[in-house]
Structures are given as structure tokens and as C-alpha cells.
Amino acid sequence: MLYDFYNGKAASYLKKITKSAIKKTSKYRFEPITNIVYGNIKKMDKRFFYSEGEDTYLMFAYKNRYSTVQYGLPRYHVCQCKTREEYSGYIYSNAMPVEIYCKDQKKTLEDKKSLPLCANCVSASQRALYAFLAKGKPWFEYVLEYANSDNEMAKKTKRDGYVKMWKQISEAYRERTGFHCESCRLNLREEKYYLEVHHGDYNKTNNAIENLSALCVLCHATVDETHLSKFKKDNSLRVATFIDDYSQFVKANNVHNLEKWLKG
């Protein structure tokens, strides 16, 4: 029998609270961190980092107040390049798009913007990343590239065995997939906490792109018997709520894993 909520105001409220708790406790929950000033930034490997508890984020420097009518969008910076050293007034973010205030129009631009990369950062970056940066790939590709480098921060781990950059890495990989489950193809952009990242070799520190898979919580829970047992024990409510929310899609496109879950 599928997990289901009863109808009514009390049940709707309970479901809202339950989903809020699931979202809050997810290790895949990623909230963009913006408006961080230089004093709170740590430089390592010629890059910018910001830490909250055990979690560490690779940051991008940019000017959030800029004359966009006269000069276009500001550039973002991934290292202490010539431009970054010459000018002040930068703030930092761990993801894009970002909010920009146009000084010409004296207003915040209507849509958040994905900024172009600073040309000086390309030449100032480590040689191994030069070709990558020169292609102007999006921010999440840069994060994944750094995560698979031999740099110190990319290798540091937390007590749970994941690397300290894991939240940002998982967000970067999920965005790379368009927030689609790579197994059943469900689009979870609006409820990203139901989309998780699986390590193919079960090594939490191996974040090579070919070792990662973005999976909805049902596909993740039914990868194998070990996952099924663990999810039944620790995450049964998360899976049940997901099945309830996406019952129509699951019955039409993921019935095999649904049956595995119900029989497990």
C-alpha cells in the first residue's frame, strides 16, 4: 500500500510540516550564500573559500553594484588576479545567478544574472585549469573541476566521511543534470531535496563526474539491497512522502523501483 495523507486542513498542515523537516534535514540542501565580505573569506590554493561549521564553499568574487548600462555586467573572479588586486568593493557568492544593483539606473536588475568570467583570472589560474576556464563554462563545471583536483581543500573531509565541499559539489552536479533524476528522468528542480547524488563506487571522497549519479530518492533507495535496508531504517518517511507527492509519475515511469521499495 502506498503511503498517503488523509484529506483535510490538519492533514495538509501536517504534510507541509513534514516536507519542511525533510528539506531542512537533507544533506543535499544547498542555500546560496551571497554578500560575504572579504574579511570572512579564507584564501587557499589561490582560491576563495567560506566556511560554516564543517561545510566549506568555493566562492566567487564580484561587484554587486556596477554601472551595467555603461560597462555591461561585471565579471566574476575565481582567484586573486590582477583586476581583483587593483580594485576593491568585491563581495562573494558560492553560486550563480546573483543579484546586481545597476548604479546607472539606480535600481536592482529585475532578474538575477550569471556573470561572465574575468579574462585575467584565466591567465592567473593554475595551468591545469587554463584550458577549462578559457572555454567559459558555467560556475558548476568549475566547482566540479576543482573538486577533482589535487588541491588541499578539495580533499578535506568531515566526520561523516564526505568532503567539506560536498554540499556545493552535490548542488553543482545536480545543476549539471538540470535537476533531473538520471535513472527515471523526473524533473525535481522545484523540490531539489528529493534529488540526491550517489557515489557509484561507494567512496564518498571520490567525486569524479563519472562516479556520480543524480537520483531521485526512490531510485537512490533501491540502488541495491544495502541502500534499501538503510533507507528503510533511516529515511522511510522521506521516500514515502516522495512517492505520495509523485505517485502518478512513479506509477507510470518507475514502477519497478516502486515495487522493490514496497516489497523491501
Side-chain angles (χ1 to χ4, degrees):
M1 179 178 179
L2 293 183
Y3 176 88
D4 196 7
F5 286 97
Y6 294 102
N7 296 319
K9 292 183 178 179
S12 296
Y13 177 73
L14 177 62
K15 185 171 183 178
K16 182 179 179 181
I17 295 299
T18 300
K19 289 181 68 175
S20 177
I22 288 172
K23 178 179 179 181
K24 186 175 181 180
T25 58
S26 172
K27 63 176 175 287
Y28 297 97
R29 183 170 179 253
F30 179 89
E31 297 293 341
I33 299 173
T34 59
N35 297 320
I36 302 298
V37 298
Y38 183 73
N40 294 323
I41 293 294
K42 180 179 180 180
K43 285 197 297 182
M44 183 179 292
D45 303 330
K46 299 181 180 179
R47 300 293 185 271
F48 310 119
F49 295 92
Y50 176 74
S51 295
E52 284 188 342
E54 282 196 281
D55 297 310
T56 298
Y57 302 91
L58 180 62
M59 306 295 281
F60 311 99
Y62 67 102
K63 287 182 176 288
N64 65 333
R65 299 177 64 87
Y66 204 71
S67 299
T68 62
V69 173
Q70 185 175 2
Y71 300 112
L73 290 173
R75 303 273 172 165
Y76 78 90
H77 304 267
V78 296
C79 64
Q80 193 74 4
C81 69
K82 180 181 178 181
T83 305
R84 176 63 190 80
E85 291 177 345
E86 188 174 348
Y87 298 96
S88 59
Y90 289 93
I91 62 171
Y92 298 80
S93 174
N94 65 350
M96 284 194 232
V98 293
E99 192 172 84
I100 301 294
Y101 178 84
C102 176
K103 294 196 293 185
D104 302 306
Q105 304 176 74
K106 296 182 179 179
K107 68 175 185 179
T108 300
L109 299 181
E110 290 185 5
D111 299 319
K112 291 185 177 181
K113 303 296 181 183
S114 291
L115 308 178
L117 176 64
C118 164
N120 284 330
C121 279
V122 175
S123 58
S125 295
Q126 299 168 22
R127 183 173 298 177
L129 290 176
Y130 180 87
F132 168 80
L133 290 171
K135 294 177 182 177
K137 292 185 179 181
W139 76 271
F140 51 85
E141 295 284 9
Y142 175 65
V143 170
L144 293 170
E145 182 81 7
Y146 184 86
N148 287 286
S149 70
D150 291 326
N151 292 305
E152 180 181 355
M153 188 57 75
K155 303 299 182 185
K156 288 190 174 184
T157 58
K158 301 187 289 184
R159 283 173 290 182
D160 62 5
Y162 289 92
V163 296
K164 290 194 171 188
M165 287 181 60
W166 174 240
K167 283 187 177 181
Q168 191 177 23
I169 292 168
S170 67
E171 179 76 0
Y173 186 80
R174 288 181 297 162
E175 183 159 339
R176 187 177 190 266
T177 69
F179 294 100
H180 283 77
C181 174
E182 292 184 280
S183 178
C184 69
R185 303 309 303 167
L186 176 61
N187 184 339
L188 287 165
R189 181 173 289 276
E190 298 304 316
E191 292 188 303
K192 296 187 289 185
Y193 46 88
Y194 282 141
L195 186 66
E196 305 184 342
V197 181
H198 171 65
H199 289 90
D201 65 355
Y202 302 92
N203 179 359
K204 296 177 182 178
T205 65
N206 180 7
N207 294 306
I209 291 175
E210 59 271 18
N211 191 48
L212 303 179
S213 299
L215 301 174
C216 72
V217 67
L218 176 59
C219 289
H220 198 187
T222 53
V223 162
D224 54 33
E225 290 301 320
T226 300
H227 275 71
L228 184 59
S229 176
K230 182 174 177 56
F231 273 74
K232 284 283 187 177
K233 178 182 178 182
D234 300 330
N235 290 290
S236 59
L237 180 59
R238 177 190 297 277
V239 179
T241 307
F242 168 81
I243 293 171
D244 184 73
D245 280 353
Y246 293 95
S247 60
Q248 187 173 349
F249 179 93
V250 169
K251 291 175 183 177
N253 301 279
N254 204 4
V255 67
H256 177 67
N257 285 337
L258 175 60
E259 291 175 351
K260 286 172 65 176
W261 174 259
L262 295 177
K263 293 177 181 178

